[in-house]
C-alpha cells in the first residue's frame, strides 16, 4: 500500500466521522456501511478516471489547466492542483504534454508570491513535479519570485504565542507545512549527539541541494539570523516553521479527538482533524532523520 493510499484511507475514515444531525439533535458516530461504500466508490472512480477527465480542462494555448476554456490568464490554483493530481498517478497522463511543461508555464505566470496559499501551491508543485529543479534553474526570473514565495511561507508559520487562535486555518497550515517539508534535503541525516552543547533543538537541517541559491530568501528575511548565508539562514527558519507546525497540528488532533469522544458536535470539526493529522504525518516524516536513535529510544521508553 502506497503512502498516498494510506492517507486516502485516513481521510475517508475522517470524512465518515462528519455526521448529519439526527432527529434528536445529536449526531451519529459514523456513516452507515452503505454510505461508506458509496463514498469509497466515488473516490475510486475519481482515482481511476482522474487523468482522463482532466484532459478536457487542458488549455494548449497557455500550457495550463483552466475551468473556463479560453481564459485570458493562466489559472494558478487550477493548474497547481491539476499537477499534483497528475503526480499522484503519472502513468495515467498520456494525452497531454509532460507535466514539467505545465510547471514551467506556471512558474512564468503572474502568481502572487506574497499570497501564502498561491506561494505554497507553487512551491509544492515545483518540488513534487521537478525534484531536480530543472525548470527553476533555467529561469532566473522565476528564482527571485520563488525566493519571495519561500519567505512568505516561512512568515506564515504557526506562532506559539497565538495558541489556539492561529492566524491561518488548519487547511492553510497544512499547505505551508507541506511546502516547508519539501525544501529539506531528505538524505541529510543528523545525529543530535554531534550538536553543540546546550542546543535546544537538533542540528540545523540542510536544504535540498537541487534548489538554486538564488531561489532561497536571504538569511535575515527568512528569519534565520544574520550570521549565515542564504542556505544556512533559510534552513534554520524551515526547522523552526516545521517544529511549530508539528506542535500546533498535534495539539489540534488531540483536541478534535477529545471533542469527538465527548460528543461535542459544536466544536468538533472533521476538516481541522483531517488537515492537522496530515500536517503532523508529513512533518514528522520529514524531521525523522534529524532525530538520533538514542533520542527515539528515550522517547519510546517514556511512553
Amino acid at each position: 500500500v502506497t503512502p498516498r493510499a494510506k492517507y486516502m484511507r485516513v481521510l475517508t475514515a475522517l470524512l465518515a466521522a462528519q455526521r448529519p444531525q439526527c432527529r434528536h439533535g445529536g449526531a451519529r458516530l459514523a456513516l452507515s456501511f452503505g454510505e461508506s461504500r458509496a463514498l469509497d466508490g466515488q473516490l475510486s472512480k475519481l482515482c481511476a478516471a482522474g487523468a482522463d477527465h482532466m484532459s478536457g480542462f487542458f488549455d494548449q494555448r497557455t500550457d495550463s489547466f483552466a475551468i473556463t476554456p479560453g481564459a485570458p490568464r493562466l489559472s494558478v490554483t487550477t493548474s497547481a492542483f491539476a499537477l499534483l493530481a497528475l503526480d499522484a498517478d503519472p502513468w495515467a497522463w498520456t494525452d497531454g504534454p509532460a507535466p514539467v511543461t505545465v510547471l514551467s508555464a506556471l512558474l512564468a505566470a503572474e502568481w502572487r508570491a506574497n499570497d501564502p496559499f498561491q506561494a505554497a501551491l507553487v512551491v509544492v508543485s515545483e518540488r513534487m513535479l521537478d525534484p531536480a529543479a530543472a525548470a527553476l534553474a533555467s529561469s532566473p526570473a522565476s528564482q527571485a519570485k520563488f525566493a519571495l514565495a519561500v519567505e512568505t511561507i516561512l512568515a506564515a508559520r504557526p506562532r506559539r504565542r497565538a495558541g489556539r487562535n492561529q492566524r491561518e486555518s488548519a487547511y492553510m497550515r497544512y499547505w505551508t507545512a507541506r511546502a516547508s517539508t519539501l525544501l529539506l534535503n531528505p538524505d541529510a541525516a543528523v545525529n543530535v549527539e554531534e550538536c553543540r552543547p546546550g542546543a535546544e533543538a537538533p542540528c540545523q537541517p540542510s536544504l535540498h541541494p537541487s534548489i538554486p541559491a538564488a531561489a532561497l530568501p536571504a538569511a535575515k528575511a527568512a528569519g534565520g539570523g544574520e550570521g549565515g548565508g542564504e542556505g544556512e539562514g533559510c534552513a534554520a527558519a524551515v526547522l523552526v516553521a516545521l517544529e511549530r507546525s508539528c506542535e500546533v497540528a498535534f495539539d489540534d488532533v488531540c483536541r478534535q479527538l477529545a471533542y469527538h469522544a465527548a460528543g461535542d458536535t459544536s466544536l468538533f470539526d472533521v476538516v481541522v482533524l483531517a488537515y492537522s493529522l496530515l500536517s503532523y504525518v508529513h512533518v514528522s516524516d520529514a524531521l525523522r532523520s534529524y532525530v538520533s536513535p538514542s533520542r527515539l529510544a528515550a522517547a519510546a521508553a517514556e511512553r
Side-chain angles (χ1 to χ4, degrees):
V1 178
T2 65
R4 287 190 180 85
K6 292 180 181 179
Y7 297 146
M8 182 65 73
R9 290 180 180 177
V10 170
L11 287 175
T12 301
L14 291 172
L15 287 171
Q18 184 75 339
R19 318 152 355 175
Q21 296 295 319
C22 69
R23 71 182 67 179
H24 299 294
R28 295 181 304 170
L29 293 179
L31 292 175
S32 67
F33 178 77
E35 291 170 331
S36 298
R37 286 294 300 269
L39 177 60
D40 186 64
Q42 293 175 0
L43 293 173
S44 297
K45 290 180 180 179
L46 285 175
C47 292
D52 293 335
H53 290 326
M54 284 195 302
S55 61
F57 295 95
F58 182 72
D59 188 346
Q60 296 182 354
R61 182 177 52 85
T62 58
D63 282 336
S64 65
F65 291 86
I67 297 176
T68 304
R73 298 178 59 183
L74 184 146
S75 177
V76 176
T77 55
T78 301
S79 296
F81 278 121
L83 283 172
L84 295 177
L86 294 180
D87 182 66
D89 191 11
W91 300 109
W93 179 251
T94 57
D95 296 333
V100 69
T101 302
V102 182
L103 179 62
S104 298
L106 177 63
L107 290 173
E110 297 179 7
W111 51 279
R112 298 186 299 274
N114 59 350
D115 180 342
F117 184 51
Q118 286 199 0
L121 285 181
V122 172
V123 170
V124 171
S125 299
E126 196 283 330
R127 298 307 304 145
M128 293 288 290
L129 273 296
D130 187 22
L136 191 61
S138 62
S139 176
S142 297
Q143 293 177 25
K145 201 170 182 180
F146 191 88
L148 179 57
V150 173
E151 181 181 337
T152 299
I153 291 168
L154 297 178
R157 67 173 174 82
R159 293 324 200 251
R160 279 178 174 169
R161 61 178 177 271
R164 294 178 55 186
N165 302 313
Q166 296 294 327
R167 181 180 61 181
E168 306 292 350
S169 66
Y171 178 72
M172 271 301 309
R173 294 198 298 271
Y174 162 72
W175 282 110
T176 54
R178 186 72 179 114
S180 298
T181 61
L182 294 172
L183 297 174
L184 291 176
N185 180 7
D187 299 324
V190 176
N191 191 316
V192 295
E193 274 74 18
E194 299 176 357
C195 295
R196 59 185 183 280
E200 297 181 357
C203 294
Q204 303 294 355
S206 63
L207 301 183
H208 202 285
S210 67
I211 304 176
L216 297 173
K220 186 175 181 180
E226 307 196 24
E230 284 80 356
E232 295 176 4
C234 188
V238 169
L239 178 60
V240 172
L242 291 177
E243 287 178 343
R244 301 298 182 269
S245 296
C246 194
E247 292 171 1
V248 171
F250 181 77
D251 184 61
D252 274 343
V253 168
C254 293
R255 182 178 292 108
Q256 291 300 322
L257 290 176
Y259 290 153
H260 187 273
D264 192 338
T265 57
S266 64
L267 293 177
F268 174 69
D269 191 330
V270 70
V271 175
V272 174
L273 177 58
Y275 282 103
S276 296
L277 179 58
L278 284 171
S279 297
Y280 182 72
V281 169
H282 279 296
V283 175
S284 298
D285 286 346
L287 294 180
R288 182 178 302 172
S289 62
Y290 299 105
V291 182
S292 68
S294 60
R295 176 167 294 186
L296 287 173
E302 293 175 358
R303 295 177 182 176

